[in-house]
Amino acid sequence: SALLTPTALCAPHSYYLSVVVALVMGKVHGSLARAGKVRGQTPKVAKQDKKKVPKGRAGKRIKYNRRFVNVVVGLGKKRSPNANT
């Protein structure tokens, strides 16, 4: 066809498409003056004393029992180990 010939591509009357993209460099997340605002206004709560987590063989045993022995098969999707509902 006439569109695919090399002379048709180099013709002086061919049209050129120029695309101008204007990038607007605006502010995205606010000024740094407000950084740390929420953490600064939350009250400090002291850490609680926790029970020692078993290490080694005893820890592996607890992990095995939690994952494979005490499994509750229910309706719907499988619950993640971190789910609190």
Side-chain angles (χ1 to χ4, degrees):
S1 69
L3 292 175
L4 297 177
T5 58
T7 56
L9 293 176
C10 300
H13 63 274
S14 63
Y15 297 102
Y16 293 101
L17 179 66
S18 64
V19 178
V20 177
V21 178
L23 294 176
V24 179
M25 300 299 284
K27 294 183 176 65
V28 181
H29 284 296
S31 66
L32 290 176
R34 291 192 294 271
K37 170 183 173 280
V38 174
R39 185 178 176 187
Q41 68 187 8
T42 51
K44 177 78 172 125
V45 179
K47 286 192 173 183
Q48 297 177 345
D49 294 333
K50 295 181 185 176
K51 187 180 153 189
K52 181 179 78 81
V53 180
K55 309 275 195 284
R57 178 202 50 80
K60 297 269 187 185
R61 179 174 169 236
I62 289 176
K63 204 184 296 185
Y64 171 79
N65 287 334
R66 190 184 303 143
R67 289 183 184 171
F68 300 110
V69 177
N70 297 331
V71 181
V72 178
V73 179
L75 298 173
K77 294 173 102 175
K78 182 176 179 257
R79 279 180 55 187
S80 78
N82 205 26
N84 291 323
T85 57

